Amino acid sequence: MARSIHQSLAASRHGCEGFRQLRSRRKLLQAGSLAGLGLSLADFLQVRHARGEASVAAAGGVPKLPERIKSVIQLNLPGGFPQHESFDPKPEAPIDYRGSFGVVKTKTGDVFSDNLPQLAAIADKFTVVRTMVGKIPDHNLATYHLYTGYTPTPVIDYPQMGSIVSHELGRRGELPCYIALPAKNAASGGTGFLPSIHAPFETGGDPAQQKKNFTVRDFSLPAGMSLEQFQRRQAVRNAVEQRIRGLEASPVLLDTMDEFHSRAYSLLTSTDAQRAFSFEGETDETFELYGSEVTGDVKGPDGRLHPKGLAERLIIARRLVETGVRFVTVQYGSWDCHGDVRKACLDQMRPFDYAVAGLISDLDRRGLLDSTLVWVTSEFGRTPKVNKESGRDHWARNYSMLLAGGGFQQGLIYGASDSTGGEPARDAVTLENLMATIYYQMGIDANKELLAFGTRPIEIIREAKVVTQLLG
């Protein structure tokens, strides 16, 4: 409980008013419960499907590109991750640009901020793009852009990347195609013009808080009901349904109900699905690899240092892609550091460094790194110059992202920013083109047109190009 209170208080200290409002809205969304609405898991799946069933028709059939990778783990750092204090330090710049941290040499001979020694030691395993170019230095608008590839418009709501993956590729196995851990970002949009069935499955429960007691909301049998009792009720439902079919009820409606009840039943009874959402079989060595007990240097109100829980979230994310989930999003931290960027980094950067390095190393040793992309994102970066509050403000004109595995080159620093980290000096990469490259690796043509509202063709990403230089 003390840890939970500490994390809530710590989060409230970070960020401008717009970012704090965004976090408050996210908490309200997370607080919702299916049970409180009287909805079963099958009801939830069925309602989501019905809300958007007739809104889209694919204009290209099945994807023609080969699926080069199987899964994506997107780790998002909301608020605007500081590039100077992470992947693009400027040690030769004046102090009010380079900031207060030093540098550490990477395994490939480049330099990162000395906040990231673990990632520097395995820099031969991933790509860093130092010249990402966004469009909007506003949290809500830039987050929507990050997740959809489009800037918001009052005319059309565009689908999230995970929803596109769900629509184009479908699920592998029993688990949903797209899972948000513990919930989707409140500003990331929804399924847009796609059917609502392609929305992320939100776990509700949070392994960062629950640790080894992690459970998924509405993902277990009702209290007091045994599996045998549940199976008997399922048998009764099947008998009733067959009777209804005999009365010549709508076969289309019944087939649709069958699909959703079947999916809900398999989730609730499958040992593989239940195991994926647990830490069963994980060793102490694995938790240590991810930095489960690693803390920052900023004490909580109780005068103690606390782990951040990112290790647990990423271990669950890894287990989900092992089970066949195609797209997993994970949120970590509060990076809107308008004041005291040093304190924000001392508080959050070390657990980030250990957890991401641990995830990449773990996927590599399990033989999963080639088929899984780890994508570290933020809606934008921070200003080149430190402000009078010792912080950095919003900056979308140049920032950094990390991509590990998934067919992306290893040991690559792509692009170079100018002497203060404010503008690309060479090889700028737009967000749209990077997303198109990830789609390409998943076997999806980002230029493919989907039919919104049944008649209007809309490209998955408008006029996007694959950045082939990033690929191995």
Side-chain angles (χ1 to χ4, degrees):
M1 178 63 72
R3 178 182 167 194
S4 175
I5 294 173
H6 161 71
Q7 289 180 327
S8 298
L9 291 174
S12 69
R13 292 196 294 268
H14 293 301
C16 61
E17 180 63 26
F19 185 64
R20 290 196 298 271
Q21 290 176 356
L22 173 61
R23 292 180 65 86
S24 297
R25 181 152 60 102
R26 187 180 306 140
K27 289 177 181 178
L28 287 174
L29 290 174
Q30 292 178 16
S33 169
L34 300 181
L37 296 175
L39 293 175
S40 69
L41 180 58
D43 293 331
F44 173 59
L45 294 169
Q46 189 173 340
V47 168
R48 282 204 332 196
H49 179 74
R51 282 174 52 196
E53 184 173 13
S55 65
V56 64
V62 296
K64 295 183 176 62
L65 294 174
E67 292 182 33
R68 296 167 178 83
I69 61 174
K70 296 179 179 179
S71 302
V72 174
I73 298 173
Q74 179 187 9
L75 171 59
N76 188 50
L77 309 173
F81 192 61
Q83 67 272 22
H84 295 75
E85 283 75 24
S86 57
F87 298 113
D88 194 13
K90 297 296 176 182
E92 304 300 324
I95 183 66
D96 52 346
Y97 286 89
R98 71 173 183 263
S100 61
F101 292 103
V103 298
V104 60
K105 196 167 186 177
T106 71
K107 191 172 183 178
T108 57
D110 211 291
V111 293
F112 290 165
S113 166
D114 60 7
N115 285 309
L116 303 178
Q118 302 300 315
L119 284 168
I122 62 164
D124 60 327
K125 297 295 184 184
F126 55 81
T127 284
V128 169
V129 179
R130 282 180 168 167
T131 48
M132 290 301 306
V133 178
K135 291 183 176 178
I136 320 166
D138 172 271
H139 292 295
N140 289 311
L141 303 182
T143 299
Y144 185 91
H145 184 210
L146 169 64
Y147 278 83
T148 66
Y150 283 88
T151 52
T153 167
V155 179
I156 297 176
D157 187 18
Y158 297 95
Q160 300 176 13
M161 190 173 195
S163 298
I164 291 285
V165 171
S166 174
H167 178 265
E168 292 297 294
L169 302 180
R171 61 190 180 125
R172 291 185 296 132
E174 296 169 319
L175 288 173
C177 177
Y178 177 21
I179 294 179
L181 223 174
K184 74 171 189 174
N185 189 300
S188 62
T191 60
F193 52 78
L194 293 178
S196 296
I197 193 173
H198 299 298
F201 180 90
E202 299 176 78
T203 62
D206 186 359
Q209 298 288 337
Q210 297 169 298
K211 293 281 191 175
K212 295 183 180 180
N213 295 319
F214 170 59
T215 57
V216 178
R217 185 188 63 202
D218 302 311
F219 198 62
S220 57
L221 297 177
M225 179 180 290
S226 68
L227 178 60
E228 183 180 356
Q229 290 172 317
F230 182 68
Q231 290 171 333
R232 283 202 301 268
R233 292 191 182 188
Q234 176 74 1
V236 171
R237 192 196 70 82
N238 289 340
V240 171
E241 186 174 287
Q242 290 302 316
R243 175 62 175 167
I244 294 174
R245 287 183 186 276
L247 297 175
E248 298 183 349
S250 168
V252 174
L253 175 60
L254 287 173
D255 287 344
T256 300
M257 292 174 63
D258 270 350
E259 176 188 353
F260 289 105
H261 279 287
S262 175
R263 287 174 62 177
Y265 181 81
S266 67
L267 285 174
L268 289 171
T269 59
S270 166
T271 55
D272 288 341
Q274 298 289 337
R275 188 181 299 115
F277 285 108
S278 75
F279 293 109
E280 180 183 336
E282 298 294 339
T283 65
D284 291 341
E285 185 273 337
T286 299
F287 284 96
E288 183 178 351
L289 175 66
Y290 284 70
S292 177
E293 297 302 319
V294 170
T295 70
D297 290 336
V298 178
K299 294 180 179 180
D302 59 359
R304 300 170 58 191
L305 298 173
H306 297 268
K308 301 297 184 181
L310 178 59
E312 285 74 17
R313 287 182 181 177
L314 292 185
I315 291 172
I316 292 295
R318 188 216 78 218
R319 292 174 69 94
L320 291 175
V321 301
E322 281 182 304
T323 311
V325 178
R326 292 189 186 272
F327 206 94
V328 180
T329 60
V330 179
Q331 307 290 323
Y332 170 65
S334 176
W335 298 95
D336 194 28
C337 42
H338 292 278
D340 204 345
V341 64
R342 178 178 177 83
K343 183 177 181 181
C345 291
L346 290 174
D347 185 30
Q348 302 172 101
M349 199 72 81
R350 188 183 298 133
F352 164 80
D353 182 38
Y354 270 84
V356 177
L359 173 63
I360 295 169
S361 299
D362 200 16
L363 289 170
D364 190 31
R365 70 184 183 178
R366 292 171 185 266
L368 295 171
L369 192 57
D370 288 343
S371 62
T372 304
L373 173 65
V374 177
W375 181 27
V376 179
T377 67
S378 194
E379 67 263 39
F380 43 63
R382 312 305 301 185
T383 50
K385 190 172 183 178
V386 176
N387 63 30
K388 63 181 180 180
E389 302 297 331
S390 299
R392 298 185 189 269
D393 300 313
H394 302 175
W395 193 258
R397 285 151 61 177
N398 189 87
Y399 55 104
S400 300
M401 286 188 181
L402 179 150
L403 302 107
F408 281 76
Q409 287 201 47
Q410 297 188 352
L412 175 66
I413 301 294
Y414 187 80
S417 60
D418 63 17
S419 61
T420 61
E423 304 284 348
R426 60 172 172 83
D427 299 327
V429 178
T430 66
L431 178 60
E432 291 85 350
N433 286 351
L434 183 62
M435 293 177 73
T437 308
I438 296 171
Y439 276 130
Y440 176 79
Q441 290 299 95
M442 297 199 78
I444 299 171
D445 183 356
N447 294 308
K448 178 180 178 180
E449 293 181 338
L450 304 178
L451 294 183
F453 319 117
T455 59
R456 180 170 181 175
I458 296 178
E459 293 171 296
I460 292 175
I461 302 284
R462 184 178 296 123
E463 298 179 352
K465 298 178 180 179
V466 174
V467 186
T468 57
Q469 300 92 325
L470 297 177
L471 302 177

